[in-house]
Amino acid sequence: MEYRIILIGCGTVGQGLLEILERKADYLRDRFDFEPRVVAITDKLKGSVLCRQGLNLKSLLTILEEGKKLNDYPGAKEKIPGFIDPLELIERVEAEIMAELTYTDIKTGEPATSYIKKALRTGKHVVTSNKGPAALHFHELQELARVNQRQFRIEGTVMSGTPVFHLFENGLAGNEIKEIKGILNGTTNFILSKMELDNLEYDEALKLAQELGYAEADPTADVEGLDAVAKVVILANALMGGRIKPEEVKRQGISHLRRSDILEARKAGFRYKLIARVRKEDTGLITSVAPEMIPLSDPLAGVMGAQNALTFDTDFLGKVTIQGAGAGKIETGFSILSDLLAIHRGEKN
Amino acid sequence: MEYRIILIGCGTVGQGLLEILERKADYLRDRFDFEPRVVAITDKLKGSVLCRQGLNLKSLLTILEEGKKLNDYPGAKEKIPGFIDPLELIERVEAEIMAELTYTDIKTGEPATSYIKKALRTGKHVVTSNKGPAALHFHELQELARVNQRQFRIEGTVMSGTPVFHLFENGLAGNEIKEIKGILNGTTNFILSKMELDNLEYDEALKLAQELGYAEADPTADVEGLDAVAKVVILANALMGGRIKPEEVKRQGISHLRRSDILEARKAGFRYKLIARVRKEDTGLITSVAPEMIPLSDPLAGVMGAQNALTFDTDFLGKVTIQGAGAGKIETGFSILSDLLAIHRGEKN
């Protein structure tokens, strides 16, 4: 079955998705009868391209690798100006699915939220790895999707393509969830791992993370727990019926931790991890992001380096933990494919 | 939506399922529009009961708790002899789904395989936690299901209700799997954990496992790796397209391991685990069950006690590990519910 897809944003995730769709075109058609056709892309930096029969992904990836604009795409295409505004593109181009892959603004959720609304209102399913809209406007967007009989899917917002929402919707369905807790930020987990295993102070481990590209020049969003807060809000609202706002999450970062704290905990049989947690209490949901000393017997204690993991505490299965990549071009690109395939299978979320 | 369900076998798993369906009836109807109606049960030891309008599960569980026969069910029911042969029951009673919950015979797969064939041929979906038919006749039964446009679902055969097949079919779909490896036998993992953590010799740890009910009086199937072999064959055939027979799996148990082996490995930064493995090579699938020294950094190294875990090595996500219960009345009962819900959602496997 063919699906026409619009990409809004063509940075790392968008290019990861295009690579996957190009490499696996035959496999996806033969195995799942799934034939995606990317018909339009617009990106503030890279320009725009539009071809209603579907772009040749090989040519497209070649010009992107060469650092050229999307407008330089050599195949058949429509005549357009240098950059088409996403809202206009979404309005104008017929497609079954819009993949929203622009940057995360965790304060406003914009402009992504406006793009998502426009897409749902014009009858398109939406898949996104953008944490802003999912953290700030989940219920509104989900309701808009419902009214328009379309889907709003967000697998890539937590743990990149490692299945979190799929796991909840399928394998765990029928359980009631008492608590979700996890290691949802790879940068801080890398820093804590290095402090313990290589005996570094916080500043040294942070510097190493920056050199290796795990941490940004301004590491605040990671080390002060803001990134993990966005994810815990998404989990609380999307999976546990919450109406939590990011500022309501109890938050503490890791920058105050010293090597001596970590080694002392280790001697006592514990390990410091930045734990994101949402727990159902009689009074409502309790959410937090904070360094916690967890026993070495906890599955989360063994999660080292930039890996992520999440434990669902369920009524029938007890604790179920999933561990995998938390970031990455191909890993997050795959999150988009996995949502496209869920739409293709006709699953409802 | 209502589903009429026949239970063949009413031991631990069957009673776990009945408890779940009774406790969660309102939740399952309100949340998923799923209304299971158990219309018939037959069990060699406990007798039979038949009520086409659906049995009252509360009454049914009460008489089972009191150690009575199914025939003693006090509600409305049809007049039947003490025990109805499963093949006759499956033939005679109309139902959408048959849950096959009899004992595992890993040599022949019988009589379960005959029950499953009869159910598929009479238009019923089949869900089972029985390893025999899935290990010995997977492709034949899957093909019979396809021809009859019904499903043959086996979530409970590996890691009880912890999602393995659901994870593969949904969250991981689109990936190609290079290797699946895991800890699939809780008894041996409990023994190895005790040998290391409590400094026991093999015989002492085995005795403890027997006292706690983790190991049977004749522990051969667990400690010689036969149970894990059945599971690795199921994974190879159901998820990786194999046509493997149990006797083709390279197998070594744990009974030759000494405390000193385990402590030495530990000093070198490794931990012994009974690893079940299926790997795709150019020449075909390589399968094995054997104790392996794995590095402590491997997610499987942290899996202690009777827990199970499985790592999928995928082309897009790298390694994804799921950890959870590997056995249990409610946990395995839930595996059946999770397959019932997949059928209800209209998923195809």
Side-chain angles (χ1 to χ4, degrees):
Chain A
M1 199 181 294
E2 283 196 4
Y3 295 84
R4 292 168 296 178
I5 300 171
I6 296 174
L7 259 61
I8 307 298
C10 194
T12 312
V13 180
Q15 292 182 47
L17 174 65
L18 292 173
E19 272 183 47
I20 289 174
L21 295 181
E22 200 272 322
R23 265 163 61 189
K24 284 287 187 85
D26 294 349
Y27 175 79
L28 293 171
R29 187 193 56 234
D30 298 347
R31 174 81 179 75
F32 301 108
D33 184 29
F34 175 71
E35 296 188 69
R37 193 141 57 97
V38 178
V39 294
I41 310 179
T42 190
D43 180 283
K44 227 170 187 176
L45 296 173
K46 300 201 178 69
S48 310
V49 62
L50 174 55
C51 170
R52 290 168 210 244
Q53 305 97 280
L55 295 157
N56 179 303
L57 299 185
K58 204 171 182 125
S59 313
L60 192 65
L61 285 163
T62 304
I63 64 137
L64 286 168
E65 276 158 30
E66 290 169 352
K68 294 184 187 162
K69 294 263 179 184
L70 291 165
N71 308 65
D72 297 326
Y73 172 75
K77 62 188 169 190
E78 295 183 34
K79 224 178 141 67
I80 51 163
F83 172 71
I84 311 180
D85 181 76
L87 289 174
E88 189 196 326
L89 187 78
I90 296 165
E91 177 91 48
R92 225 173 87 182
V93 178
E94 276 188 40
E96 281 73 39
I97 301 171
M98 187 267 280
E100 201 293 316
L101 308 172
T102 67
Y103 60 93
T104 290
D105 181 326
I106 198 58
K107 290 257 177 341
T108 67
E110 291 296 351
T113 302
S114 297
Y115 302 158
I116 292 171
K117 286 182 182 171
K118 173 70 82 178
L120 292 171
R121 287 198 181 111
T122 56
K124 298 168 184 75
H125 299 290
V126 172
V127 300
T128 186
S129 56
N130 190 321
K131 293 183 287 291
L136 299 172
H137 308 292
F138 179 79
H139 292 292
E140 187 190 351
L141 294 172
Q142 188 72 344
E143 175 61 17
L144 190 60
R146 199 191 59 74
V147 167
N148 288 284
Q149 295 178 284
R150 290 299 178 273
Q151 294 199 33
F152 171 55
R153 298 197 75 102
I154 58 173
E155 183 63 72
T157 60
V158 180
M159 285 179 73
S160 71
T162 306
V164 171
F165 299 92
H166 279 84
L167 184 63
F168 174 87
E169 287 167 25
N170 295 283
L172 299 182
N175 282 284
E176 287 169 85
I177 309 291
K178 293 180 267 184
E179 183 180 78
I180 304 176
K181 70 169 182 174
I183 295 170
L184 299 181
N185 180 271
T187 309
T188 46
N189 202 54
F190 175 84
I191 292 172
L192 293 173
S193 296
K194 282 290 164 191
M195 288 172 75
E196 178 187 328
L197 300 179
D198 295 354
N199 214 13
L200 301 182
E201 272 300 350
Y202 170 78
D203 290 337
E204 298 168 312
L206 170 60
K207 191 157 165 273
L208 181 62
Q210 286 170 322
E211 283 166 11
L212 292 173
Y214 288 131
E216 293 176 52
D218 176 1
T220 313
D222 289 322
V223 300
E224 297 306 336
L226 297 161
D227 171 70
V229 161
K231 292 167 180 168
V232 90
V233 168
I234 293 170
L235 295 173
N237 294 351
L239 302 187
M240 294 181 76
R243 303 240 164 212
I244 307 283
K245 297 192 179 84
E247 58 272 23
E248 294 167 353
V249 178
K250 200 186 120 201
R251 174 177 60 83
Q252 190 183 30
I254 64 159
S255 58
H256 65 288
L257 285 175
R258 299 173 184 283
R259 177 169 52 185
S260 56
D261 299 328
I262 284 169
L263 299 182
E264 247 169 67
R266 194 63 182 73
K267 266 185 214 151
F270 293 85
R271 188 171 263 157
Y272 269 107
K273 291 291 182 192
L274 185 69
I275 298 292
R277 184 191 293 274
V278 47
R279 194 170 68 245
K280 195 176 276 173
E281 299 276 358
D282 291 342
T283 52
L285 296 181
I286 311 289
T287 52
S288 63
V289 169
E292 294 186 21
M293 277 171 52
I294 58 174
L296 291 178
S297 57
D298 188 311
L300 297 181
V303 179
M304 301 304 273
Q307 287 260 303
N308 280 195
L310 204 58
T311 299
F312 292 89
D313 193 358
T314 71
D315 55 349
F316 292 138
L317 289 178
K319 288 178 180 163
V320 177
T321 300
I322 185 153
Q323 175 173 349
K329 176 183 183 179
I330 293 294
E331 291 83 347
T332 312
F334 173 76
S335 76
I336 304 298
L337 172 62
S338 91
D339 278 344
L340 296 177
L341 287 173
I343 290 168
H344 174 54
R345 285 193 299 268
E347 281 170 29
K348 295 211 182 59
N349 66 342
Chain B
M1 200 180 293
E2 283 196 4
Y3 295 84
R4 293 167 297 178
I5 300 171
I6 297 175
L7 258 61
I8 306 299
C10 194
T12 311
V13 180
Q15 292 182 48
L17 174 66
L18 292 172
E19 273 183 47
I20 289 174
L21 295 181
E22 200 273 321
R23 265 162 63 188
K24 285 289 188 81
D26 294 349
Y27 175 80
L28 293 171
R29 187 192 57 234
D30 298 348
R31 175 80 179 76
F32 301 108
D33 183 29
F34 176 71
E35 296 188 69
R37 195 141 56 97
V38 179
V39 295
I41 310 179
T42 191
D43 181 283
K44 227 170 185 172
L45 295 173
K46 301 203 176 67
S48 310
V49 62
L50 174 55
C51 171
R52 290 168 210 245
Q53 304 96 282
L55 295 157
N56 180 303
L57 300 185
K58 205 173 182 121
S59 314
L60 191 64
L61 285 163
T62 305
I63 64 137
L64 287 168
E65 275 157 32
E66 290 167 353
K68 295 185 188 160
K69 294 261 177 185
L70 291 165
N71 309 64
D72 297 326
Y73 172 75
K77 63 188 168 190
E78 295 182 34
K79 225 178 141 67
I80 50 166
F83 172 71
I84 312 180
D85 181 76
L87 289 173
E88 188 196 328
L89 188 77
I90 295 165
E91 177 91 48
R92 224 174 85 183
V93 178
E94 277 188 38
E96 281 71 38
I97 301 171
M98 187 267 279
E100 201 292 318
L101 309 172
T102 67
Y103 60 93
T104 290
D105 181 327
I106 197 59
K107 289 258 177 343
T108 66
E110 291 296 350
T113 301
S114 298
Y115 303 156
I116 292 171
K117 285 181 181 171
K118 172 71 82 177
L120 292 171
R121 288 196 180 112
T122 56
K124 299 170 185 72
H125 298 290
V126 171
V127 299
T128 186
S129 55
N130 190 320
K131 292 183 288 291
L136 300 172
H137 308 292
F138 179 78
H139 292 292
E140 187 190 351
L141 295 172
Q142 187 71 344
E143 176 61 16
L144 190 59
R146 199 190 59 74
V147 167
N148 288 284
Q149 295 179 285
R150 289 298 178 274
Q151 295 198 32
F152 170 54
R153 298 197 74 101
I154 58 172
E155 184 62 72
T157 59
V158 180
M159 285 180 73
S160 71
T162 306
V164 171
F165 299 93
H166 278 84
L167 184 63
F168 175 88
E169 287 166 25
N170 295 282
L172 298 182
N175 282 284
E176 288 168 86
I177 309 290
K178 293 179 267 185
E179 183 180 76
I180 304 176
K181 68 169 183 175
I183 295 169
L184 298 181
N185 181 271
T187 309
T188 45
N189 202 54
F190 175 85
I191 292 172
L192 293 174
S193 297
K194 282 290 164 192
M195 288 172 75
E196 177 186 328
L197 300 178
D198 295 354
N199 214 13
L200 301 182
E201 271 300 351
Y202 170 78
D203 289 337
E204 300 168 311
L206 170 60
K207 192 157 165 274
L208 182 62
Q210 286 169 324
E211 282 165 11
L212 293 173
Y214 288 131
E216 292 175 55
D218 175 0
T220 313
D222 289 321
V223 301
E224 297 307 336
L226 297 162
D227 171 70
V229 160
K231 292 167 181 168
V232 91
V233 168
I234 293 170
L235 295 173
N237 293 352
L239 303 186
M240 293 179 78
R243 304 241 163 210
I244 307 283
K245 296 193 180 83
E247 58 272 23
E248 293 167 353
V249 178
K250 198 187 120 200
R251 174 176 61 82
Q252 188 183 31
I254 64 161
S255 56
H256 66 288
L257 285 176
R258 297 172 184 287
R259 177 167 53 185
S260 55
D261 299 327
I262 284 169
L263 298 182
E264 245 170 69
R266 192 66 181 72
K267 266 185 213 150
F270 293 86
R271 187 170 262 156
Y272 269 107
K273 292 291 182 190
L274 185 68
I275 299 292
R277 184 192 292 275
V278 47
R279 194 172 68 245
K280 194 176 276 173
E281 299 275 358
D282 292 341
T283 52
L285 296 181
I286 310 289
T287 52
S288 63
V289 169
E292 294 186 20
M293 278 172 50
I294 58 174
L296 291 177
S297 57
D298 189 312
L300 298 180
V303 179
M304 301 305 273
Q307 287 260 302
N308 281 195
L310 204 60
T311 299
F312 292 91
D313 193 356
T314 71
D315 54 349
F316 291 139
L317 289 177
K319 288 178 181 162
V320 176
T321 300
I322 187 154
Q323 174 173 350
K329 177 183 183 179
I330 293 295
E331 291 83 347
T332 312
F334 172 76
S335 75
I336 304 298
L337 173 61
S338 92
D339 278 343
L340 296 177
L341 286 172
I343 290 167
H344 174 54
R345 284 193 300 268
E347 281 170 27
K348 298 213 179 56
N349 66 341

